[in-house]
Amino acid sequence: EGDNCVFDGMIYRNGETFQPSCKYQCTCRDGQIGCLPRCNLDLLLPGPDCPFPRKIEVPGECCEKWICDPKDEVILGGFAMAAYRQEATLGIDVSDSSANCIEQTTEWSACSKSCGMGFSTRVTNRNEQCEMVKQTRLCVIRPCENEEPSDKKGKKCIRTKKSLKAVHFEYQNCTSVQTYKPRYCGLCNDGRCCTPHNTKTIQVEFHCPRGKVLKKPMMLISTCVCHNNCPQSNNGF
């Protein structure tokens, strides 16, 4: 028959469907609980014209609504990608059901610039409030001065190359305190694109004019990959 499920102190039979709140519909499957959001705001988030969305409760309605939260910060290039939630079954860690938070995190979007300093975004509710928030990190896929494909040793693509000298990152007239030897993605001369494959996020401290200090999350590239799934504008990729 399958195992029962326990969620928020209630026991549910195998195959039973229930709503722990008006925002989710859940099903018990052999001791595991899977849920789907019933509110559209978990599936489709605000787009480029709303880089800092915030959820508000609407009196008399179950589902919250997105509003644009003005922030005192200039967005690089004025560009942000809409983040789409996959309509997949979302799992709950039954052992931690007291938290009643269904964790959702999107992948990082592509870097907004094919060369030089850009940014990428993702949306996650991995926080104590279990609130959907948009996170931004800086990214440099390659420096703009190296825009010509390299054809050394007959290679059509150089996937990953490490900076030969330590560099300071530049962001809005601010300079990173430390120097780094980042890896960059190469360029292809066979029509393919070269983009980051494995990355990690670090905190970078910047010194700015008038003694201001900024700390920003930034992407570091581990490996790149060459592929044919190119953006609409293939220049620079």
Side-chain angles (χ1 to χ4, degrees):
E1 287 233 344
D3 293 336
N4 292 336
C5 304
V6 179
F7 182 69
D8 200 21
M10 299 286 290
I11 297 176
Y12 299 95
R13 293 184 190 141
N14 179 39
E16 186 175 354
T17 298
F18 62 97
Q19 291 182 14
S21 76
C22 59
K23 297 178 183 179
Y24 294 99
Q25 179 163 313
C26 303
T27 303
C28 173
R29 295 287 183 201
D30 195 21
Q32 299 293 317
I33 297 173
C35 299
L36 285 172
R38 301 180 71 240
C39 294
N40 286 334
L41 80 172
D42 283 336
L43 301 174
L44 180 61
L45 293 158
D49 56 341
C50 185
F52 295 100
R54 182 165 58 90
K55 282 196 296 189
I56 60 167
E57 292 186 1
V58 181
E61 293 186 22
C62 169
C63 296
E64 297 163 309
K65 290 187 177 177
W66 288 111
I67 63 167
C68 284
D69 196 11
K71 291 272 184 164
D72 184 22
E73 184 172 350
V74 178
I75 296 300
L76 289 167
F79 178 90
M81 293 183 67
Y84 292 86
R85 297 295 310 148
Q86 290 184 342
E87 294 188 59
T89 301
L90 305 165
I92 293 179
D93 186 353
V94 179
S95 63
D96 192 27
S97 60
S98 59
N100 284 352
C101 180
I102 302 166
E103 187 177 299
Q104 301 175 77
T105 303
T106 65
E107 294 293 325
W108 287 104
S109 68
C111 194
S112 62
K113 298 282 185 71
S114 63
C115 73
M117 184 69 76
F119 74 97
S120 64
T121 60
R122 73 175 180 182
V123 181
T124 182
N125 64 350
R126 195 181 295 163
N127 51 60
E128 290 183 3
Q129 293 76 31
C130 193
E131 283 291 315
M132 283 295 230
V133 294
K134 185 173 282 189
Q135 295 178 333
T136 303
R137 68 175 180 178
L138 303 176
C139 49
V140 179
I141 294 181
R142 62 182 64 83
C144 287
E145 58 266 23
N146 296 330
E147 281 290 282
E148 290 300 317
S150 176
D151 198 18
K152 291 179 181 177
K153 299 179 183 176
K155 288 186 177 179
K156 292 182 178 179
C157 285
I158 295 179
R159 286 187 295 181
T160 312
K161 52 187 178 183
K162 191 169 185 177
S163 175
L164 298 177
K165 60 180 181 178
V167 296
H168 288 276
F169 293 124
E170 301 285 337
Y171 168 70
Q172 291 186 0
N173 297 324
C174 305
T175 304
S176 65
V177 177
Q178 294 184 359
T179 58
Y180 300 86
K181 282 191 174 181
R183 287 186 172 91
Y184 299 124
C185 292
L187 290 167
C188 301
N189 59 10
D190 62 355
R192 289 186 295 168
C193 313
C194 192
T195 55
H197 179 56
N198 286 325
T199 67
K200 65 180 180 179
T201 304
I202 63 167
Q203 290 290 329
V204 177
E205 188 172 326
F206 293 89
H207 271 177
C208 306
R210 300 177 185 174
K212 188 178 178 183
V213 176
L214 278 180
K215 282 189 177 180
K216 291 283 180 183
M218 185 165 180
M219 175 189 81
L220 283 189
I221 296 171
S222 300
T223 60
C224 300
V225 65
C226 295
H227 55 86
N228 290 310
N229 185 22
C230 301
Q232 290 86 350
S233 172
N234 191 20
N235 295 335
F237 280 99

